[in-house]
Amino acid sequence: DAGVIQSPRHEVTEMGQEVTLRCKPISGHNSLFWYRQTMMRGLELLIYFNNNVPIDDSGMPEDRFSAKMPNASFSTLKIQPSEPRDSAVYFCASSFRQSRDEQYFGPGTRLTVT
Amino acid sequence: QKEVEQNSGPLSVPEGAIASLNCTYSDRGSQSFFWYRQYSGKSPELIMSIYSNGDKEDGRFTAQLNKASQYVSLLIRDSQPSDSATYLCAVNMRDTGRRALTFGSGTRLQVQP
């Protein structure tokens, strides 16, 4: 079975540009999570969806960040405008409710904003 | 106070030894506990989950949970150099009513050949 798929794997952009990260969860999973990982702050939850509905976006750092999940097999995380402090690895993870919260991570997108 | 605490390490053990990784958490109502392994430059990989007090064994890995003391540990028997990685403890903090996990900052394990 395919795992969580993320694209792009690497993104380098200039400050002020819009960045869109994409995620395809594991088929059949009904919860999707976006995380950000940095050396300083570790792994932080940004937002999560249950059955395509955003449940908790309290981790979204500011209005420059937005996330959508238009259907069960696709989600996007958008940063507009991007800033150098947004440089991090962004992970998407998915889980199936009956699996008692076990989350499976995608390979991540390494974002560098110059 | 951090919600999920781990010693950052590095924890250095010789090949063949037992590595013991510990984690404490603040929410007494937490129900789900996980250990993830993360190699440098890679994504976290789920290696163990535990939900009830006691021990759970899977191959060379044993997870131990003590809800009264609010700690969970991971033992790695017969440690191998390939076990060298950062180990992340994750807890479902039920008091928030969320299904999301709260991660510790991770313990870096080094297994010396």
Side-chain angles (χ1 to χ4, degrees), chain B residues 21-56:
Chain B
L21 305 161
N22 299 310
C23 170
T24 59
Y25 58 93
S26 61
D27 174 22
R28 187 171 291 276
S30 297
Q31 298 294 320
S32 306
F33 308 85
F34 307 90
W35 284 98
Y36 286 80
R37 177 177 62 197
Q38 187 174 25
Y39 292 113
S40 180
K42 302 295 186 182
S43 60
E45 174 192 7
L46 179 65
I47 55 172
M48 290 288 285
S49 57
I50 188 166
Y51 305 98
S52 55
N53 280 330
D55 295 359
K56 179 181 177 182

Side-chain angles (χ1 to χ4, degrees), chain A residues 9 30-31 33 35 37 42-43 45 48 50 56 58 91 95-108 110, chain B residues 31-32 34 36 38 41-46 48-49 51-52 56 88 92 94 96-105:
Chain A
R9 296 291 303 277
N30 58 355
S31 293
F33 307 81
Y35 292 89
Q37 187 174 42
L43 195 60
L45 177 70
Y48 85 92
N50 194 40
D56 184 351
S58 60
F91 290 108
S95 72
F96 178 54
R97 186 167 186 85
Q98 274 63 40
S99 71
R100 301 186 72 177
D101 301 325
E102 292 183 349
Q103 293 184 21
Y104 297 89
F105 282 73
R110 181 173 296 277
Chain B
Q31 298 294 320
S32 306
F34 307 90
Y36 286 80
Q38 187 174 25
K42 302 295 186 182
S43 60
E45 174 192 7
L46 179 65
M48 290 288 285
S49 57
Y51 305 98
S52 55
K56 179 181 177 182
L88 301 168
N92 184 308
R94 287 287 179 176
T96 65
R98 301 156 74 213
R99 292 196 59 228
L101 300 180
T102 300
F103 284 80
S105 56

Side-chain angles (χ1 to χ4, degrees), chain A:
Chain A
D1 288 342
V4 176
I5 299 172
Q6 291 187 247
S7 65
R9 296 291 303 277
H10 302 273
E11 178 80 34
V12 180
T13 191
E14 292 183 347
M15 182 174 63
Q17 297 298 305
E18 177 179 297
V19 175
T20 299
L21 311 180
R22 297 173 176 79
C23 175
K24 177 180 170 57
I26 294 171
S27 178
H29 282 194
N30 58 355
S31 293
L32 182 141
F33 307 81
W34 282 101
Y35 292 89
R36 178 173 68 176
Q37 187 174 42
T38 62
M39 289 293 293
M40 290 297 296
R41 300 176 66 88
L43 195 60
E44 302 175 283
L45 177 70
L46 299 177
I47 185 171
Y48 85 92
F49 296 83
N50 194 40
N51 294 324
N52 312 337
V53 176
I55 302 301
D56 184 351
D57 65 354
S58 60
M60 296 286 261
E62 48 198 274
D63 292 345
R64 296 185 299 106
F65 286 68
S66 62
K68 294 181 180 180
M69 191 166 186
N71 58 62
S73 59
F74 183 67
S75 177
T76 60
L77 178 67
K78 184 177 294 186
I79 308 173
Q80 166 64 21
S82 58
E83 297 183 3
R85 59 189 167 128
D86 302 329
S87 297
V89 180
Y90 291 80
F91 290 108
C92 176
S94 70
S95 72
F96 178 54
R97 186 167 186 85
Q98 274 63 40
S99 71
R100 301 186 72 177
D101 301 325
E102 292 183 349
Q103 293 184 21
Y104 297 89
F105 282 73
T109 296
R110 181 173 296 277
L111 173 65
T112 303
V113 183
T114 60

Side-chain angles (χ1 to χ4, degrees), chain B residues 5-12 20-22 85-87 105-110:
Chain B
E5 297 211 37
Q6 297 181 254
N7 188 315
S8 61
L11 173 65
S12 185
S20 178
L21 305 161
N22 299 310
T86 296
Y87 289 80
S105 56
T107 297
R108 189 157 62 94
L109 174 65
Q110 295 178 339

